[in-house]
Amino acid sequence: MTEAALVRVEGLSKTFTNRQGLLGYVLRQKRRSSEAVKNVSFSIAKGKTFALVGESGSGKSTIARMVVGLLPPSGGNVLIDGIAMHGADLAHARQGLTHRIQMVFQDPYASLNPRWRVDAIVSEPILALRRETNRQAIAQRVAELLTLVGLHPADAQKYPHEFSGGQRQRIAIARALASDADFIVCDEPTSALDVSVQAQILNLMRDLQDRLGLTYLFISHNLAVVRYVADEIGVLYKGELVERGDGAAIFDHPQHAYTRQLIAAVPNVDALRREAATLADDRPTRARAEFP
């Protein structure tokens, strides 16, 4: 990668230990551990998109939460512009990164507070980070952000239940941009949406990346989506990064058996059309009724 890396993930690991209940304590049962992420390393250049792809349970979302600081790693570290996200005495160092990192979650129905109006939702990062205190300036900023993501400023007075799934995800993206973030972690941001709406959200994200110079970590299990949005792809299998490369290399010359399985599982539109045409040609003719 020739560009300077904005994000560096170095040897990231995460081990979960199950809780020991009262019965387990009485019976002196040993706690069981599961290694969700195993020594994962990658970097993302400024203004680029790195996609992590893998099946459910492969550790994608765990990595996403460690990258944004929601979950402490068992090993390794995440560096944003050279500043470590995890460690003993990093609270002061991380303060300067808080506004630069945001996250867009998978389910737009669950990630927005149903009791808050859109203006309160979008302005929350502005108020929390004290980016602005003047109410008129905040309202103007909210209107600008809603317009930027393809909504109307008047939508600020509505509640989340008054919007479709795609519109709610646009609100979530506006909220992520409210703190002037330049690094956004997208945890399956289109998987809960219809196919046509998925395309609209992906196009919006690419347009925002071009206009604002955003850097994305894109989490997905859909290779077709990943191929469209990613500059570089990492294939995650059972918590390990088994393959990494640009989209053309991954799709044209996959090296790992799991990568080949993922690619083989992507529906082939041309093949489906040919199969549909064959089925239409092979329809049985109506049998003539015969009576004794």
Side-chain angles (χ1 to χ4, degrees):
M1 184 176 295
T2 58
E3 301 92 340
L6 175 69
V7 182
R8 301 190 71 89
V9 174
E10 300 178 346
L12 206 60
S13 300
K14 183 63 181 179
T15 300
F16 291 101
T17 304
N18 68 333
R19 294 182 178 179
Q20 188 180 38
L22 179 60
L23 180 61
Y25 177 78
V26 172
L27 298 177
R28 297 183 179 179
Q29 294 178 341
K30 293 183 177 179
R31 293 187 176 186
R32 295 181 179 179
S33 300
S34 60
E35 199 172 6
V37 178
K38 309 171 186 177
N39 195 31
V40 170
S41 300
F42 58 86
S43 58
I44 314 175
K46 183 175 178 58
K48 300 295 183 180
T49 300
F50 183 86
L52 274 177
V53 62
E55 62 191 358
S56 297
S58 60
K60 305 185 303 297
S61 294
T62 301
I63 292 175
R65 282 161 173 74
M66 287 191 287
V67 168
V68 299
L70 294 177
L71 190 65
S74 303
N77 215 326
V78 179
L79 291 88
I80 311 294
D81 252 357
I83 302 175
M85 289 288 294
H86 304 281
D89 301 312
L90 300 172
H92 179 71
R94 288 176 56 182
Q95 283 182 354
L97 296 176
T98 305
H99 75 280
R100 299 183 59 185
I101 307 169
Q102 290 295 328
M103 192 167 182
V104 176
F105 295 91
Q106 175 178 358
D107 187 359
Y109 293 90
S111 62
L112 304 179
N113 191 329
R115 298 188 179 187
W116 285 15
R117 293 188 313 190
V118 170
D119 58 351
I121 292 172
V122 176
S123 64
E124 182 184 15
I126 302 175
L127 295 171
L129 298 170
R130 298 181 180 177
R131 308 287 290 177
E132 181 62 70
T133 56
N134 182 276
R135 290 186 178 181
Q136 186 175 357
I138 292 174
Q140 183 177 353
R141 178 59 176 159
V142 169
E144 292 173 354
L145 289 168
L146 291 178
T147 303
L148 187 63
V149 298
L151 297 174
H152 195 277
D155 291 331
Q157 304 304 313
K158 299 179 181 178
Y159 289 89
H161 73 269
E162 300 180 70
F163 297 91
S164 65
Q167 290 173 326
R168 290 190 188 192
Q169 201 61 295
R170 289 175 187 268
I171 296 169
I173 294 172
R175 178 178 59 185
L177 297 175
S179 64
D180 296 324
D182 57 356
F183 174 47
I184 299 179
V185 177
C186 309
D187 188 8
E188 306 245 23
T190 60
S191 62
L193 307 176
D194 294 337
V195 175
S196 60
V197 180
Q198 285 185 23
Q200 296 173 15
I201 297 300
L202 293 175
N203 287 330
L204 170 65
M205 294 180 66
R206 291 187 64 173
D207 179 58
L208 292 173
Q209 185 175 44
D210 293 337
R211 295 174 62 179
L212 304 177
L214 301 175
T215 303
Y216 292 136
L217 172 59
F218 195 96
I219 308 294
S220 181
H221 65 273
N222 190 329
L223 272 176
V225 169
V226 164
R227 187 173 192 176
Y228 179 72
V229 301
D231 298 292
E232 191 174 9
I233 299 172
V235 181
L236 204 64
Y237 179 60
K238 293 184 177 180
E240 296 186 68
L241 197 62
V242 296
E243 190 164 353
R244 175 183 167 187
D246 61 64
I250 292 291
F251 279 87
D252 297 339
H253 305 287
Q255 301 298 310
H256 197 273
Y258 178 67
T259 308
R260 292 193 287 269
Q261 291 177 7
L262 286 178
I263 294 174
V266 176
N268 187 315
V269 177
D270 293 333
L272 290 175
R273 287 174 178 171
R274 288 195 296 269
E275 183 178 353
T278 302
L279 291 174
D281 293 339
D282 292 345
R283 284 179 298 181
T285 55
R286 186 184 299 273
R288 183 170 53 186
E290 296 182 359
F291 298 92

